[in-house]
Amino acid sequence: MLYDPELSYKLDLHNLHYNLCIVLSFQMPGPHLLLVVVAVCLIKTASGFANGKVSPACGDMTPQHGHDSSSKPAPYNITLDKPTFSPGDHITVTLRVVPTSGSISFKGFLIEARDAGNPDGPAVGSFSLLNPSESQLLHCGHTQGSAVSHTSKSKKTEIQAVWEAPKNPPSGVQFMATVVQKYKVYWVQIPGPVVSLNGATRVPPPNPTPTTTTTAVVTTTLSALTRPFSSEGCGRSKSCLRDPVGCDPGRDPLCFFLSFTPEARTVLFELSGPAHGYLSFALSLDKWMGNDDVYLCVRDGDSVDINAAYVSGRAHPQLASENVLSDTAWQLADGVIQCRFRRDILLPRQIESRFSLDQSYFLFIAHGRAEDGVIYRHDRQPLISTHQTVITGLPENLAGSRSPLLIKFHGVFMLVAWMTTVTTGVIIARYFKHDWPETRLFGRRLWFQVHRALMTLTVLLTCVGFSLPFIYRGGWSRHAGSHPYLGCTVMALSFIQNQLCCILRSFHRRYIFNWMHLGTGTIARVLAVVAIFLGIQQQALLLPGPWSTGVLAGCVVWGVLVDLLLEFHSKVVIVSRFKKIVLAVFLVGNVGFLSVLLNTIRNV
């Protein structure tokens, strides 16, 4: 397989495309104020580009890009520095842009030498490099270094390499090159000169043959949409999956819309949504991406390619080898991709990896960027229907979510624990200790019982919330950035804090316990807040921004302001009633902020 030198599939290692710098103030007992400044800086996305290691393509020299080789004359040629050779001789091979073609650079290439009498045979001879920064040797056949390919996607106008003739060469050798200008534009086996072995009968070059190969692309006739998309008929004559719920693609440019209408032997699909590169939907037997029947609407310049594909495991979609779509049409307007097509309900058995449409499936809608027809990893968590539906069944309005239920509960538990219960518990212990000196509950002072209950609840909520992503993922998430590391640290500090209370609370040097208790708790609170800010930017629980980030910041600032107000008044004589009013006002505001965030999570 000759992979795209620009990008065959880009994977986001971290989906953290924003800068977060937050200052949290936590009050020490006494006159001192501890200012904790936490800066969470941009983590840049790491991208995977093709590296030119295309040994699987040595045989036919054909890139598996899902498109045909260009039928236009190749704007590149191969030149040699000598017409004949002897065993062990060196010949300089140059691949360059044809001067009359203008400045048409290329990004990928594969150069081989073949027996002129058997051009479909294995590569002969070996190469050495003259441009090691832009070219590399490949192992084709039984000879190391028998081919040369690119090392990066950088634009090139000329590449040179030195070919060494084998000890037992054929009587004639022809040089060939496959050149990739961009993902969908390439030429396969561009013929170069034939060099003859000294003393042997000159071998004429073989008759040129078409190099166009059959590839896994669905060939369709595209046309403009003859009627606009609309949500009219959803639930009555067609089934619809929409985000936001109830949106109309004819009126709302931010509406993600999928509808399907069963007909006699076919199903009419309509897909619409804002996307810079591609829009797709999939039929799946479960709520995990992988082993799914996929349909892609990929923007390529000013047009849209509509293809059927199949995803095996977590790999890149493989385009269908058979044309299974008909009556395809598309439209591009104001950043919105719309496409419409039909597919037979039942397909012949020889067409692999296509699901029958008379069965029940979960529906996925995903979108992302594309470049030269190549799709990148989706920008957001896909919209997934809440239940399976029969494609040819009765029309219905389908509900969907971009966030799994377990991840939603994870966010809820962590918000309640670290935005409400822990903050309230700290305020009770810090400012109400002396207001209830003799009031007791179950034999212990009231303030201590309330503080301990709130902190115990915090640890329990953290433990449950911490376990949910691991249950959902079945292991560690590789694409969550620093969020899970911070979460593990907070979980560890919560246990340490609990053990400190059990072990050192009766320690005779009380000030050591006080400082350790304060320090561990403060660090845990700071890291928890940072983890939550990162968490609401994760694909699995991406809250709408920037207002949701503002609400979360408001919740944090609200707690800090109350803390500062109570600290200031603790320096003067203050009646207990005032502090109770402040506590009540804090709880009302905190619950208000929290309710907005929890409702947002519910609707994601």
Side-chain angles (χ1 to χ4, degrees):
M1 176 185 299
L2 182 62
Y3 291 102
D4 171 36
E6 292 197 38
L7 182 63
S8 67
Y9 192 47
K10 179 175 283 188
L11 295 177
D12 292 339
L13 298 182
H14 306 291
N15 187 27
L16 305 175
H17 291 272
Y18 71 107
N19 288 329
L20 176 63
C21 186
I22 185 165
V23 179
L24 302 177
S25 298
F26 293 100
Q27 185 71 39
M28 280 186 176
H32 304 289
L33 184 66
L34 175 63
L35 297 179
V36 182
V37 182
V38 180
V40 181
C41 299
L42 181 66
I43 300 176
K44 300 189 73 174
T45 301
S47 306
F49 293 94
N51 56 17
K53 297 186 181 299
V54 294
S55 296
C58 287
D60 58 9
M61 302 179 69
T62 301
Q64 294 185 4
H65 288 186
H67 301 278
D68 291 338
S69 174
S70 176
S71 58
K72 298 179 181 179
Y76 314 102
N77 64 13
I78 303 172
T79 60
L80 311 174
D81 66 344
K82 60 179 67 174
T84 60
F85 70 95
S86 298
D89 278 0
H90 293 81
I91 296 178
T92 300
V93 182
T94 304
L95 172 65
R96 60 162 59 95
V97 175
V98 175
T100 57
S101 65
S103 180
I104 303 178
S105 59
F106 57 93
K107 297 183 178 182
F109 64 91
L110 177 63
I111 302 174
E112 293 184 26
R114 300 282 182 92
D115 182 350
N118 180 25
D120 294 328
V124 298
S126 61
F127 289 89
S128 57
L129 302 178
L130 292 178
N131 309 101
S133 63
E134 295 185 332
S135 59
Q136 62 182 323
L137 300 177
L138 297 181
H139 188 160
C140 290
H142 302 289
T143 306
Q144 178 65 37
S146 54
V148 184
S149 73
H150 56 278
T151 58
S152 71
K153 66 166 188 175
S154 63
K155 294 182 178 181
K156 313 164 188 66
T157 58
E158 180 178 294
I159 285 292
Q160 287 188 319
V162 176
W163 178 75
E164 181 179 348
K167 294 181 179 179
N168 298 305
S171 58
V173 173
Q174 183 172 30
F175 293 87
M176 299 179 177
T178 289
V179 182
V180 176
Q181 185 181 110
K182 56 183 181 179
Y183 187 79
K184 293 176 63 176
V185 181
Y186 58 85
W187 289 262
V188 177
Q189 291 187 350
I190 300 173
V194 175
V195 290
S196 299
L197 179 64
N198 288 322
T201 302
R202 183 175 178 83
V203 177
N207 294 327
T209 57
T211 60
T212 301
T213 58
T214 301
T215 57
V217 61
V218 178
T219 304
T220 58
T221 301
L222 300 178
S223 61
L225 293 173
T226 56
R227 64 179 186 276
F229 277 25
S230 172
S231 61
E232 184 178 354
C234 287
R236 299 191 306 273
S237 59
K238 61 185 179 182
S239 296
C240 300
L241 175 62
R242 292 174 281 180
D243 181 31
V245 175
C247 66
D248 186 345
R251 300 177 181 178
D252 184 1
L254 300 181
C255 178
F256 289 93
F257 175 84
L258 169 65
S259 73
F260 44 95
T261 308
E263 298 173 339
R265 296 183 178 180
T266 64
V267 174
L268 174 65
F269 290 95
E270 294 181 327
L271 182 63
S272 175
H276 295 292
Y278 74 92
L279 190 64
S280 66
F281 76 90
L283 309 178
S284 180
L285 297 174
D286 53 37
K287 289 191 174 184
W288 285 95
M289 294 188 69
N291 303 321
D292 302 327
D293 190 358
V294 181
Y295 299 87
L296 300 165
C297 300
V298 184
R299 180 171 183 171
D300 185 15
D302 295 327
S303 63
V304 175
D305 289 339
I306 304 177
N307 297 323
Y310 183 77
V311 174
S312 179
R314 305 284 287 183
H316 188 274
Q318 298 295 318
L319 298 184
S321 57
E322 298 287 344
N323 185 357
V324 297
L325 308 181
S326 62
D327 298 334
T328 57
W330 56 267
Q331 178 174 287
L332 291 173
D334 301 324
V336 176
I337 297 177
Q338 295 184 333
C339 58
R340 176 185 292 135
F341 59 86
R342 283 182 170 84
R343 210 214 82 176
D344 289 344
I345 296 174
L346 301 176
L347 296 174
R349 291 185 177 181
Q350 61 267 27
I351 299 181
E352 300 179 355
S353 306
R354 300 267 72 82
F355 292 173
S356 297
L357 300 184
D358 58 354
Q359 303 297 316
S360 179
Y361 306 103
F362 288 102
L363 297 170
F364 287 62
I365 298 179
H367 70 284
R369 293 172 297 125
E371 188 174 329
D372 294 329
V374 186
I375 67 172
Y376 292 44
R377 188 174 184 265
H378 47 77
D379 294 334
R380 293 181 59 189
Q381 186 84 356
L383 177 67
I384 305 175
S385 61
T386 55
H387 63 273
Q388 289 183 321
T389 184
V390 179
I391 305 302
T392 55
L394 295 176
E396 59 180 318
N397 276 307
L398 301 169
S401 174
R402 294 187 183 273
S403 180
L405 186 60
L406 289 179
I407 301 300
K408 286 185 177 182
F409 276 112
H410 165 73
V412 169
F413 289 159
M414 292 305 186
L415 280 172
V416 173
W418 294 97
M419 292 290 106
T420 299
T421 60
V422 76
T423 306
T424 306
V426 169
I427 289 176
I428 293 294
R430 187 173 295 175
Y431 301 109
F432 289 83
K433 180 185 302 185
H434 302 293
D435 292 340
W436 304 325
E438 302 301 331
T439 306
R440 295 181 177 271
L441 180 66
F442 300 117
R444 305 297 295 268
R445 292 181 179 180
L446 177 61
W447 73 266
F448 177 75
Q449 294 287 50
V450 174
H451 173 73
R452 183 166 63 177
L454 289 172
M455 293 308 179
T456 301
L457 180 58
T458 297
V459 173
L460 290 176
L461 289 172
T462 302
C463 290
V464 176
F466 177 81
S467 64
L468 294 180
F470 291 95
I471 295 174
Y472 170 71
R473 297 284 182 184
W476 188 265
S477 175
R478 296 177 299 167
H479 305 299
S482 57
H483 176 73
Y485 296 97
L486 290 173
C488 290
T489 305
V490 170
M491 186 73 260
L493 290 174
S494 300
F495 277 113
I496 293 173
Q497 183 79 323
N498 181 65
Q499 294 302 312
L500 284 175
C501 292
C502 296
I503 298 174
L504 297 179
R505 187 164 57 85
S506 301
F507 190 51
H508 65 282
R509 295 184 178 180
R510 182 71 182 184
Y511 70 92
I512 295 180
F513 165 77
N514 289 340
W515 279 101
M516 293 184 67
H517 185 60
L518 174 67
T520 304
T522 300
I523 293 172
R525 290 179 66 189
V526 172
L527 294 181
V529 169
V530 175
I532 291 173
F533 270 96
L534 296 177
I536 65 173
Q537 299 297 324
Q538 296 295 314
Q539 279 202 18
L541 191 63
L542 183 61
L543 301 191
W547 67 265
S548 59
T549 302
V551 172
L552 181 58
C555 186
V556 175
V557 172
W558 180 251
V560 172
L561 291 177
V562 170
D563 201 3
L564 291 174
L565 179 62
L566 291 173
E567 175 63 25
F568 174 76
H569 283 84
S570 68
K571 309 305 179 187
V572 298
V573 178
I574 182 172
V575 296
S576 175
R577 183 178 179 183
F578 175 81
K579 289 193 288 187
K580 292 179 180 178
I581 293 174
V582 173
L583 177 61
V585 172
F586 161 73
L587 290 174
V588 170
N590 181 274
V591 171
F593 283 115
L594 188 65
S595 298
V596 173
L597 292 171
L598 297 185
N599 185 64
T600 304
I601 291 176
R602 183 178 68 87
N603 294 324
V604 171

